[in-house]
Amino acid sequence: MAVSSLSAAERRSLDALFDRLFPAGPVSPGAVAIGASAYVAAALAGPYAHHLDEYRAVLAALDAAAGGSLADADADRQKDIIARWEAGTLPGLPANADRSSFDLVWRHVREGLFCDPVHGGNRDFAGWAAIGFPGAQFGYRSEEQALGHRVQRPPASLADLPRSARLAGTSCLGTGAPREADVVIVGGGAVGSFMAESLVRQGLEVVMLEAGPARTGREHAMDEVLATAFRNAGGAAKFNAEVPTWRRNPGETARRAVMSQGLETALGGNSVAWGAVAMRFYEEDFRLRSATVERYGEDRIPEGSTLADWPLAYADLAPFYDEAERLLGVSGHAGNRANPARSRGNPFEAPRAAPYAMPALRTSGLGELFAGAAREEGYHPFPLPAAILTAPYQGRHACTYCSFCSRFGCHVDAKASAQNTVLPAALATGRLHIVTGARAMAIVTDEGGRAVGVNYRTPAGEELFQGAGTVVVATYAFENTRLLMLSKTRRRNRGLGNETGQLGRHYMTRQQPSVYAVFEGRSLNRFIGPTAQAMAIADLSADHFDHGDLDFIRGGRIAAFNQYLPIEASGVLPPDVPRWGEGWRDFFLTAYNSTSMLFIDPEILPYEGNYLDLDPVVVDDLGRPVIRITFDIGDNERRLMAFLQDRAERIARRMGASRTWRRPFLTGPISTHDVGGTRMGHDPQSSVVDAFGQVHDTPGLYVIGGSNFVSLPAVNPALTILAIALRAAGRIAGAAAPAATCGVPA
């Protein structure tokens, strides 16, 4: 373990601080005995070394307020000093425009209390033992998810897992000089990988440029510290150095969105970390504006909204939804639209040509409790379809219902990723060449304005050019937009795709104004099972209910999710519970296994005032502007969210909750459901790409991903993104330009 860079006096003050933040109690030792301060001290000499100066400044401010050392102050004096620190009124605190120093340290304390012992905290499993969390178990039986069941297993660490469950990729899949290619794809995530598989299957030569390293898809299995959005080890190669900034309105100064969701920069992208909910959009979602106007009138479109119909219909995507589900291996029950009362699946589901590949994930005791209460409220609960196997499929193992799924690589490959679905077959053709460590710098066009390749940078700093007959940008919404903005030419001095000023417009991001519920004295065992092992209702989604007498349009999904891990859960507190001291300790130790969340996915509409552009001040590690997000929710969404929270709270009470509380409406930017920026449409005056993702003003250039979205329905976007990608691959293969050599264009 690394040696701490803190002095002996600083370490003494750190110990005093941590034991005041999480003091010893009747059923638990304090933070120091659990190993939290040892964990942080070691981390400050390792992965958190960049926070060392901030810690020293904080400890100096605390000691100064104590008149010497915080450790020598009495308990009441220590509490007063910490309260002023939390409030930001203590003299001498380090300035940070992005977050408070208390927020940082509180996060680190929680990691030290509840991380896997391999990281140096949670000594002898004491943190986990205090809350009844068994740790890194291979999986759980159905009866262990029953309500009230007491899970009795010896705690397990990552070190106890078989080596096959924690494999990590270390070598590149492709290196060397550029080569001839029919298509070059920027981005080796799910979108790029699924497109590559389709293209090589149709006979094209494809080069895929991935900015991050290669990996197996099992990385960070069962490791909450490394997989967490806060540390985001998966984004170390690129994203962590280019975190977007955020402001609510154009007149504000943007700040870095450092406490938001982290995005992966490595082969497979977010397909390794995703929660794997695999739902199709509803038929009406593709004609949202016209359907709303037809039913309620033009005046129901919110002021300032750029709501529009998609340039394609559900029927256009249906065969590609089928293909995506087959490639992923999606489990679920088809909806019975004709008889909702007898439907095992979503009764509002769009028509499908065939059932799911396998039955849905089993229903947990919590799911059954939610479903029963929802039915009593008149709703139609169903298990969410998921790209997680419930039976062996194409060489992959069925789900074991472990505690670690969303944000984790799967230790048995039950959860679909690019690595365990499309990449092996694509590579086996010999027509896919993956270049890892290839950071795209600009799309290159010829004198006629046609895209002919990509300039990229290697980890050694070498600048190379990869030519191709067709260029596909298939990264996340932020980078899709940013790369086009940075690819300026004499013909396109505002960036590619921006001839009509639409690049970056119509940005939307999911908000998660969930309702939390405590079932006092009742074991929910919500820590067992994947996030996607959830029961949900769609009765309040889209326009599935009459909005005639309501003051908003559209709706949202309500679901009871599993996966409740200690580090994140220790920050889930009612408004009346403090974030430190005896109150925090007693609430969390008592409520951890009795707390549920009714997760709300509201539909977010596009507005003129919500957009992406380049930050004029903040740059990445290469000195290039990061994306600046300008985003706030509208009055329509605020009224919708209040309505959904009311209904969710009624369900929770009917489930037997002893107390509930609500998250705020605005939960921030970067949700992993970020869409817009390169909107698709028929008219170049209001969109960036056409219905297949081809950029209106740049022949030979396609942009594919969530950035193409016209709207953000109350459905996870991943399956629709993949369907759009597969549809575009068919168009590209049918009209591919001749393979380009790797020489730099004249």
Side-chain angles (χ1 to χ4, degrees), residues 271-336:
S271 76
V272 173
W274 71 317
V277 174
M279 284 185 71
R280 302 183 180 199
F281 281 8
Y282 301 105
E283 284 185 281
E284 188 187 85
D285 288 336
F286 295 96
R287 53 185 305 269
L288 195 156
R289 184 183 182 93
S290 60
T292 300
V293 172
E294 287 169 10
R295 187 171 183 182
Y296 303 111
E298 184 78 32
D299 61 346
R300 292 298 298 275
I301 305 298
E303 183 178 358
S305 176
T306 59
L307 195 62
D309 289 346
W310 289 59
L312 47 77
Y314 173 80
D316 296 318
L317 279 187
F320 303 102
Y321 275 132
D322 293 340
E323 183 179 2
E325 289 175 350
R326 176 183 60 78
L327 290 169
L328 291 167
V330 176
S331 61
H333 298 310
N336 187 339

Side-chain angles (χ1 to χ4, degrees), residues 20-29 79 113-114 130-131 518 520 570 572-574 576-595 659:
R20 187 56 58 201
L21 294 175
F22 191 91
V27 297
S28 169
K79 290 179 181 179
L113 290 169
F114 303 115
I131 58 175
V518 175
E520 189 173 351
S570 61
V572 175
L573 306 174
D576 61 329
V577 172
R579 294 196 290 174
W580 58 276
E582 291 85 353
W584 173 41
R585 178 201 66 201
D586 294 345
F587 173 81
F588 182 60
L589 299 189
T590 302
Y592 169 66
N593 200 23
S594 300
T595 300
R659 70 179 304 185

Side-chain angles (χ1 to χ4, degrees), residues 643-703:
F643 172 89
L644 293 172
Q645 287 183 332
D646 287 344
R647 271 61 186 174
E649 203 162 49
R650 284 178 55 172
I651 295 172
R653 293 293 183 185
R654 194 176 284 274
M655 291 168 67
S658 52
R659 70 179 304 185
T660 62
W661 70 97
R662 305 179 178 193
R663 290 188 76 189
F665 293 158
L666 181 63
T667 52
I670 313 182
S671 65
T672 69
H673 292 194
D674 300 273
V675 300
T678 65
R679 175 185 268 194
M680 63 165 51
H682 297 304
D683 184 0
Q685 296 301 316
S686 58
S687 60
V688 175
V689 304
D690 69 11
F692 289 91
Q694 182 163 330
V695 176
H696 290 306
D697 67 18
T698 309
L701 176 60
Y702 286 75
V703 178

Side-chain angles (χ1 to χ4, degrees), residues 411-494:
H411 67 295
V412 295
D413 287 330
K415 184 177 75 169
S417 67
Q419 282 87 341
N420 61 31
T421 55
V422 293
L423 281 181
L427 288 167
T429 67
R431 290 189 289 272
L432 172 62
H433 181 70
I434 302 175
V435 183
T436 54
R439 191 163 173 177
M441 303 299 287
I443 308 303
V444 178
T445 57
D446 62 17
E447 290 299 324
R450 179 182 179 85
V452 294
V454 180
N455 285 334
Y456 68 94
R457 190 176 192 270
T458 71
E462 185 181 10
E463 297 270 351
L464 299 175
F465 170 79
Q466 173 62 55
T470 302
V471 177
V472 177
V473 179
T475 68
Y476 196 71
F478 300 135
E479 189 64 3
N480 276 1
T481 302
R482 184 170 84 134
L483 187 57
L484 265 63
M485 288 179 171
L486 291 173
S487 299
K488 298 178 180 180
T489 69
R490 291 193 303 273
R491 296 168 60 94
R492 302 281 182 256
N493 60 13
R494 293 194 297 176

